[in-house]
């Protein structure tokens, strides 16, 4: 017989007391490790209430399958109130990230066609390939200037620029110029604002932003300043395209970018387009760059694997004569490496949905309307789900029959990551170019853990050494 909702193990009876012990454990920065600890204590399902948000947490792929079957027509995840509060405060429209219901769906369907459908890949690849080549040229130059035949550095700032240049080139169909020696200080400010925006969001998952705003808390003021910087920069880019579009009508058949395509299509209001394009631009920086940093870190720790990937890329290059679109179909191990990175170092600590029907998970009844979270970080490290989870093994993704509800780094279904195709393509091209040009190396074998700043980040700088082949 099925057990009642109230029987689910966990700490959910006193939200405020739990918030206090969460804070004492430094849970704000360790939410991922707290979740692993809770699954170890309570088993594969537990209920939790921290501050004002109450959820059921699950970890098994089979249970994820049940969850996503109950997500309904308009899948809804946990609302990040800091983000909606800012939009309400400044009177700015929600984009697809923050919309819900029919409004979300109608916008998402149109955006899907321009951003994530397979037909746009052919447009994106040449743009992203060029950015990848420029990144390589930039690294060669840095190595030359070092006078040591190698370059040792914390690559994160470089990767932020690579990621912004990539997403910018796809959105606007033109280059922002971030691979040059002297970059626009506004672009650098945009990058800094995104990091600050994420960092200031996480405490507000537990302390209502409306309250922080009333007392004029610094964290709220910083958050507003960060989003203001993001919106101002995105507005400048959008205005720029808008102006040039009105000036020259003939674009010589060249792909004009996502923004111009949406404007020409004329199916969304300009305000809706602006809101979603801003979200795409902001969502496209820290996510892919951190995933690439973790991947380089893993490849530096596994030199033999690095050679295997290099060999795969070389064969793909040879047999396709540099036809990039074809080449991307011939690098399963490189793709496996990216999945393996997201397994051990996911960007999102969890996936969540409000379920739209009653379900039964682990023999407990869960009523319609409950917030259910899949612990993505915890699942990636669960030995029942991934044998020898501590091992970085891209080859475990080569057998598709083992992938059932296990490859969820970008989320699932119609509400999955809208930037997924951009992110995947941009990261694959990056690895192709880097593997073809440099060997990645690393000083000491120290483990780097994750820290939670809304997204999961390396807790300390990762120093890597790049040497020309
Ligand atoms: C949503 C992960 C890169 C834009 C999401 C979600 C995840 C995710 C887990 C929630 C999905 C769900 O609830 O099922 C990632 C990862 C990335 C990445 C791992 C890179 C490694 C990007 C990029 C962009 C982007 C490059 C923009 C170009 C978005 C947007 C949403 C989203 C707009 C909200 C979609 C909606 O609500 O309909 N992402 N993301 N992401 N992501 Fe990404
Ligand atoms: C954070 O408990 C932990 O892709 C919370 O590109 C639950 C939660 C809700 C929504 C998640 C968020 C977590 C992590 C960051 C995500 C976000 C949805 C989209 C966002 C996963 C897991 C992200 C990084 C987007 C951000 C776009 C934005 C900057 C415009």
């Amino acid at each position: 017989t099925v057990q009642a909702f109230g029987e689910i193990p966990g700490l959910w009876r006193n939200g405020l007391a739990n918030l206090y012990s969460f804070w004492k454990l430094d849970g704000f920065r360790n939410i991922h490790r707290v979740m692993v600890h809770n699954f170890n204590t309570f088993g594969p399902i537990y209920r939790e209430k921290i501050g004002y948000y109450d959820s059921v947490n699950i970890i098994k792929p089979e249970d994820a399958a049940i969850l996503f079957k109950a997500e309904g027509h308009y899948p809804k995840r946990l609302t990040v109130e800091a983000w909606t509060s800012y939009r309400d405060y400044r009177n700015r429209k929600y984009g697809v990230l923050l919309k819900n219901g029919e409004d979300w769906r109608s916008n998402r369907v149109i955006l899907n066609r321009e951003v994530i459908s397979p037909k746009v890949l052919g447009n994106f690849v040449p743009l992203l390939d060029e950015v990848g080549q420029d990144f390589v040229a930039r690294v060669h130059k840095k190595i030359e200037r070092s006078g040591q035949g190698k370059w040792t550095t914390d690559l994160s700032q470089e990767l932020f620029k690579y990621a912004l240049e990539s997403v910018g080139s796809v959105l606007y169909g033109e280059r922002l110029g971030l691979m040059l020696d002297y970059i626009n200080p506004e672009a650098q400010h945009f990058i800094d604002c995104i990091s600050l925006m994420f960092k200031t969001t996480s405490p507000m998952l537990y302390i209502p932003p409306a309250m922080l705003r009333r007392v004029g808390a610094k964290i709220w003021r910083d958050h507003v300043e960060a989003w203001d910087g993001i919106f101002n920069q995105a507005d400048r880019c959008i205005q720029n395209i808008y102006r040039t579009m009105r000036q020259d009508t003939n674009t010589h058949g060249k792909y004009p970018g996502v923004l111009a395509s949406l404007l020409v299509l004329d199916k969304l209001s300009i305000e809706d387009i602006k809101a979603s394009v801003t979200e795409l631009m902001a969502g496209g920086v820290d996510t892919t760059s951190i995933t690439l940093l973790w991947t380089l870190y893993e490849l530096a720790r596994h030199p033999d694997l690095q050679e295997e990937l290099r060999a795969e890329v070389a064969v793909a290059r040879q047999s396709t004569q540099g036809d990039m679109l074809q080449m991307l179909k011939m690098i399963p191990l490189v793709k496996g490496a990216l999945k393996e990175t997201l397994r051990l170092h996911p960007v999102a600590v969890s996936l969540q949905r409000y379920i739209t029907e009653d379900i039964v998970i682990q023999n407990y009844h869960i009523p319609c309307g409950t917030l259910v979270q899949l612990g993505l970080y915890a699942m990636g490290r669960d030995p029942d789900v991934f044998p020898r989870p501590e091992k970085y093994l891209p080859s475990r993704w080569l057998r598709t029959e083992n992938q059932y509800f296990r490859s969820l780094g970008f989320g699932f279904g119609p509400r999955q990551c809208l930037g997924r195709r951009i992110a995947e393509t941009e990261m694959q091209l990056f690895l192709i170019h880097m593997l073809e040009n440099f060997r990645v190396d690393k000083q000491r074998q120290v483990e780097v853990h994750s820290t939670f700043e809304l997204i999961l980040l390396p807790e300390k700088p990762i120093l890597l050494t790049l040497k020309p082949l």
Side-chain angles (χ1 to χ4, degrees):
T1 62
V2 173
Q3 290 187 277
F5 188 51
E7 299 296 315
I8 300 176
L11 295 168
W12 48 271
R13 287 189 173 82
N14 190 338
L16 222 55
N18 295 336
L19 180 59
Y20 178 70
S21 45
F22 190 70
W23 172 72
K24 281 207 16 187
L25 278 167
D26 204 13
F28 289 144
R29 273 189 235 153
N30 282 309
I31 184 171
H32 50 301
R33 256 168 274 149
V34 170
M35 285 177 88
V36 169
H37 172 82
N38 286 337
F39 284 116
N40 287 335
T41 311
F42 299 119
I45 185 166
Y46 69 89
R47 211 173 138 188
E48 171 187 60
K49 186 167 184 182
I50 299 176
Y52 61 93
Y53 94 91
D54 186 356
S55 68
V56 168
N57 291 266
I58 59 173
I59 186 172
K60 299 297 178 197
E62 300 71 33
D63 298 338
I66 300 172
L67 165 61
F68 288 115
K69 270 184 201 112
E71 70 175 4
H73 225 54
Y74 307 114
K76 183 171 185 267
R77 48 172 179 263
L78 179 95
T79 306
V80 178
E81 279 188 42
W83 298 351
T84 52
S85 295
Y86 169 81
R87 303 285 170 104
D88 298 346
Y89 176 60
R90 286 288 195 232
N91 227 332
R92 292 190 192 272
K93 277 210 93 159
Y94 294 1
V96 77
L97 173 75
L98 301 178
K99 285 178 188 286
N100 280 308
E102 186 49 47
D103 191 23
W104 167 77
R105 215 180 135 82
S106 59
N107 276 248
R108 175 83 199 215
V109 165
I110 291 160
L111 289 163
N112 280 345
R113 279 206 300 262
E114 302 302 325
V115 181
I116 199 175
S117 86
K119 77 152 207 229
V120 292
L121 213 60
N123 296 328
F124 292 173
V125 166
L127 291 166
L128 295 172
D129 189 31
E130 195 184 282
V131 181
Q133 289 176 20
D134 289 356
F135 187 83
V136 163
R138 185 171 164 83
V139 175
H140 276 304
K141 215 189 288 172
K142 296 271 188 190
I143 292 172
E144 226 164 83
R145 285 183 196 159
S146 79
Q148 301 180 315
K150 62 183 180 186
W151 187 37
T152 301
T153 187
D154 171 4
L155 268 180
S156 45
Q157 280 304 320
E158 292 298 322
L159 291 171
F160 287 155
K161 289 185 226 168
Y162 170 76
L164 178 54
E165 186 74 33
S166 294
V167 74
S169 76
V170 162
L171 292 177
Y172 306 120
E174 56 182 50
R175 297 291 298 267
L176 300 175
L178 291 158
M179 299 288 100
L180 305 172
D181 276 338
Y182 299 101
I183 75 159
N184 182 351
E186 288 169 349
Q188 184 60 54
H189 183 63
F190 180 77
I191 290 172
D192 297 338
C193 283
I194 297 172
S195 300
L196 181 64
M197 179 277 290
F198 280 128
K199 196 189 173 89
T200 52
T201 303
S202 52
M204 289 193 266
L205 287 174
Y206 307 99
I207 307 163
M211 189 180 102
L212 293 168
R213 184 178 142 189
R214 247 190 330 269
V215 302
K218 176 156 167 35
I219 187 123
W220 168 256
R221 285 184 281 128
D222 287 351
H223 191 68
V224 168
E225 202 183 296
W227 273 123
D228 282 347
I230 292 169
F231 272 95
N232 287 340
Q233 180 64 8
D235 277 347
R236 273 193 290 269
C237 294
I238 293 168
Q239 280 309 321
N240 199 22
I241 296 297
Y242 201 68
R243 250 197 322 273
T244 52
M245 266 180 78
R246 285 197 305 194
Q247 279 161 8
D248 77 282
T249 42
N250 183 5
T251 43
H252 331 288
K254 186 173 141 275
Y255 174 65
V258 169
L259 171 62
S261 305
L262 287 168
L263 288 168
V264 168
L265 197 63
D266 199 26
K267 291 213 171 137
L268 292 177
S269 74
I270 295 191
E271 289 309 308
D272 275 340
I273 293 176
K274 275 182 159 179
S276 284
V277 167
T278 303
E279 289 169 357
L280 284 167
M281 192 177 169
V285 179
D286 297 35
T287 47
T288 49
S289 54
I290 294 301
T291 307
L292 287 173
L293 184 60
W294 282 121
T295 306
L296 294 178
Y297 163 80
E298 294 291 357
L299 295 183
R301 295 207 300 168
H302 302 89
D304 295 346
L305 171 69
Q306 189 180 140
E307 292 311 318
E308 255 183 87
L309 293 185
R310 207 178 329 272
E312 182 187 73
V313 169
V315 169
R317 173 74 73 183
Q318 265 226 317
S319 61
T320 58
Q321 305 286 311
D323 176 347
M324 253 316 158
L325 217 49
Q326 281 308 113
M327 204 173 158
L328 291 174
K329 293 181 187 152
M330 295 188 61
I331 49 167
L333 205 59
V334 169
K335 292 177 182 173
L338 288 166
K339 287 188 182 173
E340 194 65 346
T341 300
L342 288 174
R343 176 180 72 80
L344 284 168
H345 315 285
V347 170
V349 66
S350 73
L351 304 176
Q352 336 77 38
R353 293 292 185 266
Y354 290 90
I355 52 172
T356 59
E357 56 190 277
D358 288 23
I359 55 176
V360 174
I361 289 185
Q362 297 288 331
N363 211 35
Y364 291 101
H365 173 245
I366 305 172
C368 175
T370 304
L371 177 65
V372 180
Q373 291 206 74
L374 170 70
L376 205 56
Y377 177 91
M379 183 179 90
R381 288 161 188 261
D382 180 346
D384 297 340
V385 180
F386 298 99
R388 310 186 67 186
E390 72 291 349
K391 293 253 180 297
Y392 187 82
L393 289 176
S395 60
R396 63 169 103 225
W397 297 100
L398 296 179
R399 292 175 306 278
T400 42
E401 65 271 20
N402 297 349
Q403 297 196 27
Y404 183 75
F405 283 95
R406 278 168 176 76
S407 172
L408 293 173
F410 290 97
F412 178 84
R415 188 110 217 194
Q416 71 178 278
C417 178
L418 177 60
R420 180 175 189 159
R421 287 285 167 268
I422 298 174
E424 286 174 340
T425 311
E426 167 193 330
M427 295 193 296
Q428 290 159 12
L429 286 167
F430 178 91
L431 291 178
I432 287 175
H433 288 300
M434 289 302 278
L435 286 161
E436 286 182 324
N437 283 277
F438 309 104
R439 196 157 275 127
V440 190
D441 212 344
K442 164 174 187 310
Q443 253 77 343
R444 278 172 297 115
Q445 294 285 347
V446 279
E447 280 271 331
V448 181
H449 297 284
S450 296
T451 185
F452 176 78
E453 290 187 4
L454 198 82
I455 57 173
L456 290 171
L457 301 175
E459 67 180 336
K460 58 184 177 217
I462 295 177
L463 284 185
L464 297 171
T465 301
L466 300 172
K467 287 183 201 146
L469 287 178

